[in-house]
Amino acid sequence: MKAGFSIFKSTAFSLLLVVLVCATVLVWAWQRTPLLTAFLPPNSLLQLSPEDKDNQPVLTVGRNGTAETSTGLVEAEVKHDQKMETNLKTDVQIMEFAPPERSENTSSTTGKEQYNENVNDQGCNYAKGKWVLDNSQPLYSGFHCNQWLSHMWACRLMQRKDFAYEKLRWQPKNCQMEEFEVSKFLERMRDKTLAFVGDSLGRQQFQSLMCMITGGKESHDVKDVGKEYGLVMPHGGTRPNGWAYRFSSTNTTVLYYWSTCLCDLEPINTTNPETDYAMHLDRPPGFLRQFLHKLDVLVLNTGHHWNRGKLKANRWVMYVGGMPNTNRRLAMIGDAKNFTIHSIVNWVNSQLPKHPHLKAFYRSISPRHFVNGDWNTGGSCDNTTPMSIGMEVLQDESSDYSAGNAVKGTGVKLLDITALSQLRDEGHISHYRTTAAKGVHDCLHWCLPGVPDTWNEILFAHISATSVINS
């Protein structure tokens, strides 16, 4: 009996020892292995105003570019048959909010600290970094930039009462991004032309830059040169196809051309005012074919007009090779958009040897933040707490697959703004526009001053870091 009991005690002790060893190994692995720690429940969602935590929907980002709340998933672009439209890879990492790391030789009052000030701008991934509070922001007044800023985007002139979103600055990781200065921008763009070609988000970036250059103040140094680029009011139209302005002091021209799809559009029957329009997926806009030689910096974008509702409303018919499209794959909106993006990037790339002075960018898609519906089905973006989604982007590749893949191997550079903008759901127009219909939110366009200013700061950093712009 005693021998049996001893054997039992020995076995129990052995089992206990095995359990302790396994537990120790598991704890060690849990701390050391990212794969295991990835399954930890998120506990670091930023809330600058804890008292509002229960009142704000927490939005995270799915791998297919969808916005997710506790009530379910809402597609970031369009419904099921068009969900390939965004084709986003959004691996935005949610990090706990913290003030920027300070270097020993940097004043604590400047708000301009960098992760690492010794890294060369030439190798900087400006899309990787974090949002930080900066009381020197914004770069201009939303009250006073009336000369360039549309009232429909000037949130200071709306019913909105909170403006914390204006006090954030993007800080790249492991490199120093040159601070935007008007004098430096104009000098580096002396005798040169910068053109934005794209949709209404491109127009927002254009207006943002005009406000940044003028400081949001009335400027008599600026001349309207739209006629030089054919940007005039069409007969019976409500607005021109774009705007072009020249800063006389440095002969610097900044322009915007309206091209929502970045492809050539032409009436199928010129004698019929109700005619459909051929949408040439493989042909660049006529404006670019005509004026590319006059441009020194080109910023392209498209994305949010690629849905069947827009195509039907505009009476656009897809054409490829000069003929109506018969390719069933290209009949899919997402595939047609991707095909067009690759087409325009490849065309611009083919023109670069003819125009060695040209620096071309394709700007990645600007994210939408509708939750619980779309713009016409009750979707909203009520959050006003900055960085309640998160504040840091750690991924190396772009969240916009289409844009990232299109520019690979070309001389066209990616202006990657998708992931950093995804963190800023509080910065949209929302329901504050005085002329908005009841229950209709604008969760696509941004308040200005706001997020598009950062896009231009990154653009300026790219311009500054390249010798292409140098005289």
Side-chain angles (χ1 to χ4, degrees):
M1 178 66 72
K2 287 184 177 180
F5 182 74
S6 298
I7 294 174
F8 174 79
K9 285 177 61 179
S10 177
T11 303
F13 179 79
S14 299
L15 289 173
L16 179 59
L17 184 61
V18 169
V19 169
L20 288 174
V21 170
C22 291
T24 302
V25 170
L26 284 173
V27 170
W28 177 85
W30 188 278
Q31 293 176 335
R32 294 297 188 108
T33 308
L35 181 61
L36 291 175
T37 57
F39 292 98
L40 283 169
N43 59 1
S44 58
L45 289 178
L46 167 71
Q47 295 289 342
L48 295 185
S49 300
E51 64 273 18
D52 294 333
K53 182 176 180 180
D54 295 333
N55 299 325
Q56 299 293 347
V58 176
L59 180 145
T60 57
V61 184
R63 289 216 175 243
N64 62 348
T66 59
E68 181 178 356
T69 66
S70 58
T71 58
L73 294 175
V74 180
E75 292 193 4
E77 284 295 326
V78 287
K79 297 299 181 181
H80 175 71
D81 64 333
Q82 299 162 12
K83 67 182 178 181
M84 289 299 294
E85 179 179 342
T86 53
N87 201 19
L88 300 180
K89 173 181 71 72
T90 44
D91 290 331
V92 179
Q93 300 209 16
I94 309 302
M95 304 295 290
E96 184 177 358
F97 175 73
E101 289 93 340
R102 304 187 184 280
S103 66
E104 294 180 359
N105 57 359
T106 304
S107 170
S108 62
T109 61
T110 62
K112 303 299 181 185
E113 298 84 1
Q114 300 295 334
Y115 283 53
N116 184 341
E117 299 191 20
N118 298 319
V119 180
N120 193 314
D121 281 353
Q122 291 281 1
C124 183
N125 179 1
Y126 297 118
K128 186 176 180 179
K130 65 181 179 181
W131 290 102
V132 297
L133 298 175
D134 185 348
N135 288 325
S136 69
Q137 300 291 321
L139 299 175
Y140 58 90
S141 168
F143 282 118
H144 302 130
C145 195
N146 299 322
Q147 190 174 2
W148 318 111
L149 181 55
S150 298
H151 283 195
M152 62 182 175
W153 296 329
C155 288
R156 284 280 182 174
L157 304 179
M158 300 180 189
Q159 303 174 64
R160 186 162 185 164
K161 303 299 181 184
D162 63 284
F163 301 100
Y165 65 89
E166 292 185 350
K167 294 296 184 181
L168 298 179
R169 175 178 54 83
W170 181 249
Q171 180 173 286
K173 184 177 179 64
N174 295 330
C175 60
Q176 184 175 4
M177 184 170 75
E178 184 170 1
E179 184 178 348
F180 181 87
E181 291 184 18
V182 175
S183 59
K184 288 183 179 180
F185 174 84
L186 289 176
E187 190 56 41
R188 286 166 188 170
M189 290 298 297
R190 179 180 289 275
D191 300 321
K192 294 176 174 61
T193 298
L194 187 157
F196 296 99
V197 178
D199 56 22
S200 57
L201 278 303
R203 184 183 173 194
Q204 282 208 299
Q205 190 174 1
F206 161 73
Q207 291 192 3
S208 161
L209 184 59
M210 290 300 296
C211 289
M212 290 168 66
I213 299 173
T214 60
K217 300 176 182 178
E218 192 81 13
S219 177
H220 302 289
D221 180 47
V222 184
K223 179 182 178 182
D224 187 340
V225 293
K227 287 185 179 180
E228 293 185 18
Y229 298 89
L231 304 176
V232 296
M233 187 75 72
H235 180 71
T238 57
R239 66 183 179 191
N241 288 331
W243 296 265
Y245 298 102
R246 181 166 298 144
F247 292 82
S248 302
S249 61
T250 56
N251 194 35
T252 300
T253 303
V254 179
L255 69 84
Y256 164 77
Y257 178 75
W258 176 269
S259 178
T260 58
C261 60
L262 288 184
C263 54
D264 201 25
L265 297 170
E266 63 177 1
I268 295 175
N269 183 353
T270 56
T271 63
N272 180 7
E274 302 298 322
T275 184
D276 290 341
Y277 287 80
M279 182 184 185
H280 296 281
L281 305 183
D282 55 351
R283 188 187 301 174
F287 175 85
L288 286 179
R289 299 199 307 273
Q290 183 177 358
F291 294 108
L292 189 69
H293 68 283
K294 298 184 68 174
L295 308 181
D296 298 281
V297 177
L298 172 63
V299 182
L300 302 165
N301 92 280
T302 188
H304 293 288
H305 280 252
W306 288 89
N307 62 72
R308 297 197 183 279
K310 293 285 188 181
L311 266 63
K312 183 177 181 180
N314 292 323
R315 304 194 302 275
W316 291 347
V317 180
M318 295 184 190
Y319 270 55
V320 177
M323 302 292 292
N325 175 52
T326 57
N327 187 323
R328 294 182 62 183
R329 181 178 178 182
L330 288 183
M332 302 295 291
I333 293 293
D335 289 328
K337 185 201 76 169
N338 295 342
F339 176 83
T340 301
I341 292 174
H342 279 76
S343 176
I344 185 69
V345 167
N346 288 335
W347 179 80
V348 171
N349 184 59
S350 72
Q351 301 300 305
L352 293 179
K354 304 175 187 176
H355 311 292
H357 61 281
L358 177 63
K359 183 67 176 178
F361 297 87
Y362 184 88
R363 202 207 74 217
S364 65
I365 197 166
S366 172
R368 310 183 334 158
H369 288 92
F370 289 97
V371 294
N372 299 325
D374 212 320
W375 70 271
N376 58 349
T377 57
S380 63
C381 46
D382 290 319
N383 179 41
T384 58
T385 304
M387 300 180 291
S388 59
I389 300 176
M391 49 77 69
E392 188 165 18
V393 175
L394 297 179
Q395 63 200 47
D396 291 313
E397 296 186 0
S398 175
S399 295
D400 186 345
Y401 274 137
S402 298
N405 289 335
V407 301
K408 283 183 179 178
T410 74
V412 178
K413 196 172 185 68
L414 183 67
L415 184 60
D416 188 9
I417 56 86
T418 304
L420 65 89
S421 302
Q422 185 70 55
L423 299 175
R424 297 297 308 280
D425 65 315
E426 90 293 351
H428 288 291
I429 305 294
S430 189
H431 62 280
Y432 298 106
R433 187 181 296 161
T434 54
T435 58
K438 185 177 181 179
V440 176
H441 288 225
D442 185 350
C443 306
L444 169 63
H445 299 100
W446 304 92
C447 289
L448 290 176
V451 173
D453 302 335
T454 295
W455 306 349
N456 284 323
E457 289 181 286
I458 295 174
L459 176 63
F460 172 69
H462 280 299
I463 292 174
S464 299
T466 177
S467 60
V468 174
I469 303 303
N470 294 336
S471 299

